[in-house]
Amino acid sequence: MKLFLRRLSSLRSTIMPFKQPNRLRKEHAHDLIQNVDNFLFDCDGVIWNWPKPIEGAVEFINKLKALNKKCFFITNNSTKTREMVMELLVKIGILNVTLDDIVCTSWILARYLESINFKDKVYAIGSPAIATELDRANIEHIGIGPNHHEIPDPAKFDYASLVKLDPKVKCVVVGFDHYFNYPKMVVATSYAHKNEDCLFIATNDDAQFPTGTSNIIIPGTGSFVNAMKTAIARNPIILGKPHRTMWEVLEKVHNLKAERSCMVGDRLDTDIAMAANCSLGYSLAVLSGVSDEDLILKYAKSLELGDKNHEEAKCVPDYYAENLGSFEKFIREI
Amino acid sequence: MKLFLRRLSSLRSTIMPFKQPNRLRKEHAHDLIQNVDNFLFDCDGVIWNWPKPIEGAVEFINKLKALNKKCFFITNNSTKTREMVMELLVKIGILNVTLDDIVCTSWILARYLESINFKDKVYAIGSPAIATELDRANIEHIGIGPNHHEIPDPAKFDYASLVKLDPKVKCVVVGFDHYFNYPKMVVATSYAHKNEDCLFIATNDDAQFPTGTSNIIIPGTGSFVNAMKTAIARNPIILGKPHRTMWEVLEKVHNLKAERSCMVGDRLDTDIAMAANCSLGYSLAVLSGVSDEDLILKYAKSLELGDKNHEEAKCVPDYYAENLGSFEKFIREI
């Protein structure tokens, strides 16, 4: 499959009509079923808080499929290939999923580099999934994996003398990496700083992973991206939501109509803002992940008060529900 | 010594007169010697690009001392105690230095926590120098040092179950740490996120260390701070330049007059902006560290064009010179 992506998908600065979010009721649920052909689901915090599926998620999605709705799975999580996401969806019981239903940032990264005919080497802060997707696209890369065994004491390491840069590297990628550490930061910065020939790409910029009720917070790729942005002193190209790239791929491949599409997600600043950036007909926030009702009401309130911040306006969903199970209950008898 | 710091020194939003920077000439140098009693020096990139002293720096400072000028050393570098900075200054040949001439961020951190009567525990991302300064102030702390030997494979570590938070921790500090890595990010974020009772303090926010001519770039504390700010979802209290705290301590202890003081530094956004934030009489940028002439001229140009960005206006120095040696040549015969 050959995809043509724009060189750099930028946020469309549409003037948003100011709207108030509705807690999903039965009549809204029925309207949505009537008016939407394509449901786009974020995964973490919406379908699962891994390893647990979220209440009603599987039943809801299978119900939509039974109603002949198209269901797509769009995740900013760069630690998974499309196959890995599919395997998880199948494992929890979602029916009739194909690879074409899935868009994840590791895969989009490879498509993006192909679309600009990138022939050099990538230095990647990221996961094995990124390595897999780059390998499949025959794009050379270095950097992925642990390096803290190679540099046993970073405080005694003479970076200026001992780090050797590979002149073939013309792109620094930042995705999620459990092994993110200072030596990796030095190398990535050295490739990209003051070197406009070197691309600087982030898979996504989510600040955290949803962790349910744990008191441990799991920082996301966005925290690495902002570290690297500070050190490199320029902004990366960001592939994930809320940017348009992932939607553009789906829209093109499946010939989707934006006005008959609904984004379903747990993060207002990525999922819900993406719906706005892509002019999708509808957005539904679920409270089973990162964002909570207070945040939705805070954004809505600031609009009411006439605070015309367009970035905040984009974060107000049309509807919100506890979880996908709440939606499923409303349409069970259809 | 008991110091009273404001709870949170904020940037003073003075209206800046728009000025153009002057490349230092002999008459400027003589005017400065006449009008300035107190010279405040940044260290990295000004006095040394460690381990090398910068041309003329030692001679210049000793000459100032011979002319009865007060010389202070003000460094954002949190990896050094005052004693360590003093030792380096003495080692390269600067005469008559005392501990009171030195302000560094690890020391300011301890003074700040003392000034607010902090009695709980600190989780610190930082260096042994921070540990030393906290120990001296009898402030309990955890976190400093390597932890990548304890968690041999961060990708297989179950953070949500295995990380135990210490309920005594009521402050997260971020300073420079060679061992900065993902497990430390998880712990620091978990203490401070959604917990307004937990202070969040950064020693400084310099994006990089100066590295002279090496093609390896050494990211600074600012890159860690922005990673943590993203994950924690709030702004830290920042102690270092360009914020006022360090100057306020000096001003109080030594009874200095701002209008007869000059900040000398290599970074426009920290050193030169601090001069503006503290209403110091003069600022001198040297080109022996991070910022170059192009950047000075860029900021100056944007002012000329009427771009009234006050943050950028603060970054325009009164004077700039290649290095301290250039200044020294102009005053050799005084």
Side-chain angles (χ1 to χ4, degrees):
Chain A
M1 176 173 46
K2 178 91 183 148
L3 297 169
F4 298 93
L5 304 180
R6 295 187 200 170
R7 276 214 150 219
L8 175 52
S9 294
S10 59
L11 295 180
R12 206 191 288 176
S13 61
T14 42
I15 300 298
M16 303 288 301
F18 295 147
K19 63 187 175 184
Q20 288 301 319
N22 291 294
R23 185 175 260 281
L24 191 78
R25 293 195 308 269
K26 191 171 179 174
E27 62 268 32
H28 305 138
H30 285 246
D31 282 354
L32 278 168
I33 293 299
Q34 187 134 31
N35 296 320
V36 174
D37 299 326
N38 316 300
F39 284 86
L40 282 57
F41 292 97
D42 176 42
C43 298
D44 288 313
V46 177
I47 301 177
W48 53 62
N49 278 319
W50 204 256
K52 286 188 195 151
I54 286 167
E55 190 192 329
V58 175
E59 296 78 2
F60 176 63
I61 293 166
N62 286 339
K63 176 75 182 180
L64 290 183
K65 285 174 170 270
L67 294 169
N68 279 322
K69 303 298 179 188
K70 283 189 176 166
C71 294
F72 298 100
F73 305 95
I74 304 190
T75 173
N76 272 0
N77 187 331
S78 65
T79 68
K80 298 198 171 22
T81 60
R82 292 202 299 172
E83 286 78 358
M84 289 159 77
V85 175
M86 187 161 119
E87 196 178 307
L88 299 180
L89 291 165
V90 170
K91 191 171 169 183
I92 62 171
I94 291 176
L95 304 171
N96 306 319
V97 191
T98 71
L99 285 185
D100 281 351
D101 303 339
I102 297 164
V103 186
C104 55
T105 50
S106 54
W107 180 76
I108 282 284
L109 168 68
R111 297 296 77 70
Y112 179 78
L113 291 173
E114 276 181 348
S115 77
I116 61 169
N117 203 25
F118 182 83
K119 296 290 179 208
D120 300 297
K121 202 184 247 186
V122 169
Y123 178 81
I125 290 172
S127 65
I130 289 178
T132 303
E133 297 288 9
L134 292 178
D135 288 342
R136 284 177 183 165
N138 289 317
I139 295 167
E140 281 189 280
H141 59 89
I142 49 173
I144 291 169
N147 68 340
H148 54 285
H149 301 301
E150 296 157 30
I151 301 177
D153 192 347
K156 290 182 184 146
F157 190 75
D158 177 2
Y159 295 94
S161 311
L162 297 177
V163 170
K164 300 289 170 229
L165 300 181
D166 180 338
K168 277 203 74 183
V169 170
K170 293 285 166 58
C171 174
V172 165
V173 165
V174 181
F176 184 76
D177 187 352
H178 280 287
Y179 305 112
F180 185 71
N181 65 9
Y182 191 64
K184 290 194 178 203
M185 292 172 67
V186 173
V187 175
T189 306
S190 298
Y191 279 120
H193 184 69
K194 289 192 179 172
N195 183 3
E196 293 290 336
D197 284 347
C198 182
L199 289 166
F200 174 27
I201 301 180
T203 57
N204 63 298
D205 59 355
D206 297 43
Q208 292 161 13
F209 282 97
T211 48
T213 54
S214 169
N215 65 343
I216 302 303
I217 310 290
I218 308 293
T221 308
S223 56
F224 307 155
V225 172
N226 284 337
M228 298 317 306
K229 194 167 119 173
T230 306
I232 290 172
R234 62 185 155 115
N235 290 324
I237 296 165
I238 304 174
L239 301 175
K241 298 168 283 179
H243 304 271
R244 291 173 46 87
T245 313
M246 301 171 95
W247 164 251
E248 283 170 6
V249 171
L250 274 187
E251 187 183 28
K252 187 165 186 80
V253 173
H254 300 278
N255 194 23
L256 306 183
K257 285 190 175 132
E259 67 275 18
R260 292 194 61 85
S261 300
C262 177
M263 179 70 210
V264 183
D266 68 315
R267 291 191 59 118
L268 307 181
D269 57 345
T270 53
D271 302 315
I272 304 306
M274 187 193 87
N277 288 330
C278 303
S279 306
L280 301 190
Y282 302 89
S283 62
L284 168 68
V286 286
L287 306 178
S288 46
V290 168
S291 302
D292 58 18
E293 187 173 18
D294 286 351
L295 191 61
I296 294 173
L297 298 180
K298 191 190 115 189
Y299 284 136
K301 188 81 188 167
S302 75
L303 295 188
E304 240 175 47
L305 294 173
D307 178 5
K308 301 187 178 185
N309 177 329
H310 291 300
E311 290 311 311
E312 294 206 349
K314 288 176 179 174
C315 294
V316 180
D318 296 310
Y319 301 104
Y320 65 99
E322 206 57 42
N323 53 40
L324 290 185
S326 330
F327 198 144
E328 193 269 337
K329 279 177 201 149
F330 292 137
I331 61 163
R332 204 171 282 171
E333 79 288 3
I334 297 181
Chain B
M1 176 174 43
K2 180 92 182 147
L3 297 168
F4 299 93
L5 304 180
R6 294 186 200 171
R7 277 214 149 219
L8 174 52
S9 295
S10 59
L11 295 180
R12 207 191 286 176
S13 60
T14 42
I15 301 298
M16 302 288 302
F18 294 149
K19 63 187 175 184
Q20 290 299 322
N22 290 293
R23 186 176 260 281
L24 192 77
R25 293 196 307 269
K26 190 170 182 176
E27 63 268 32
H28 305 136
H30 284 247
D31 281 353
L32 278 168
I33 293 298
Q34 186 134 33
N35 296 320
V36 174
D37 299 327
N38 316 299
F39 284 87
L40 281 57
F41 292 96
D42 176 42
C43 298
D44 288 313
V46 177
I47 301 179
W48 53 61
N49 278 318
W50 202 254
K52 287 188 194 151
I54 286 168
E55 189 191 329
V58 175
E59 296 77 1
F60 176 63
I61 294 166
N62 286 339
K63 175 75 182 180
L64 291 183
K65 285 175 171 269
L67 294 169
N68 278 323
K69 304 298 178 186
K70 283 188 177 169
C71 295
F72 298 100
F73 305 94
I74 303 189
T75 172
N76 271 1
N77 186 332
S78 66
T79 69
K80 298 198 172 23
T81 59
R82 291 201 301 172
E83 287 77 359
M84 288 158 77
V85 176
M86 188 163 119
E87 198 179 306
L88 299 179
L89 291 166
V90 169
K91 191 172 167 182
I92 62 171
I94 291 175
L95 304 171
N96 306 320
V97 191
T98 72
L99 285 185
D100 282 351
D101 302 339
I102 297 164
V103 185
C104 56
T105 51
S106 55
W107 180 77
I108 282 284
L109 168 68
R111 299 295 78 72
Y112 179 78
L113 291 173
E114 277 181 347
S115 77
I116 61 170
N117 202 25
F118 183 83
K119 296 291 180 206
D120 300 298
K121 202 184 245 184
V122 169
Y123 178 81
I125 290 171
S127 65
I130 290 178
T132 303
E133 296 288 9
L134 292 177
D135 288 341
R136 285 178 183 163
N138 288 317
I139 296 167
E140 282 188 279
H141 59 89
I142 49 173
I144 291 170
N147 68 339
H148 54 285
H149 302 301
E150 296 156 31
I151 301 177
D153 192 348
K156 291 183 183 145
F157 190 74
D158 177 1
Y159 295 94
S161 311
L162 298 177
V163 171
K164 299 291 171 228
L165 300 180
D166 180 338
K168 279 203 73 183
V169 169
K170 292 286 168 54
C171 175
V172 165
V173 165
V174 181
F176 183 77
D177 186 352
H178 279 288
Y179 305 112
F180 185 72
N181 64 9
Y182 192 63
K184 289 194 179 205
M185 292 173 69
V186 173
V187 175
T189 306
S190 298
Y191 279 120
H193 184 70
K194 289 193 181 172
N195 184 3
E196 294 289 336
D197 284 348
C198 182
L199 289 167
F200 174 27
I201 301 179
T203 57
N204 63 299
D205 59 356
D206 298 42
Q208 294 161 11
F209 282 97
T211 48
T213 54
S214 170
N215 65 342
I216 302 303
I217 310 290
I218 307 292
T221 308
S223 56
F224 307 155
V225 172
N226 284 337
M228 298 317 305
K229 192 167 121 175
T230 306
I232 291 172
R234 60 184 155 115
N235 290 323
I237 296 166
I238 304 173
L239 301 175
K241 298 168 282 181
H243 304 272
R244 291 173 45 86
T245 313
M246 300 171 95
W247 163 251
E248 283 169 6
V249 171
L250 275 188
E251 187 183 28
K252 189 168 185 75
V253 174
H254 299 278
N255 194 23
L256 306 183
K257 285 190 175 133
E259 67 275 18
R260 293 195 60 87
S261 300
C262 176
M263 180 69 210
V264 183
D266 67 315
R267 290 190 60 115
L268 306 181
D269 57 346
T270 54
D271 302 315
I272 303 307
M274 187 193 88
N277 288 330
C278 303
S279 307
L280 302 191
Y282 302 89
S283 61
L284 167 69
V286 285
L287 306 178
S288 46
V290 168
S291 302
D292 57 19
E293 186 173 20
D294 286 351
L295 191 62
I296 294 173
L297 298 180
K298 190 188 118 192
Y299 284 135
K301 188 81 187 167
S302 75
L303 295 188
E304 241 176 47
L305 296 171
D307 178 4
K308 301 190 177 183
N309 178 329
H310 290 301
E311 291 311 311
E312 293 205 348
K314 288 176 180 175
C315 293
V316 180
D318 296 310
Y319 301 103
Y320 65 99
E322 205 57 43
N323 54 39
L324 290 185
S326 330
F327 198 144
E328 194 267 337
K329 279 178 202 147
F330 291 137
I331 61 165
R332 204 171 280 171
E333 80 287 4
I334 297 182

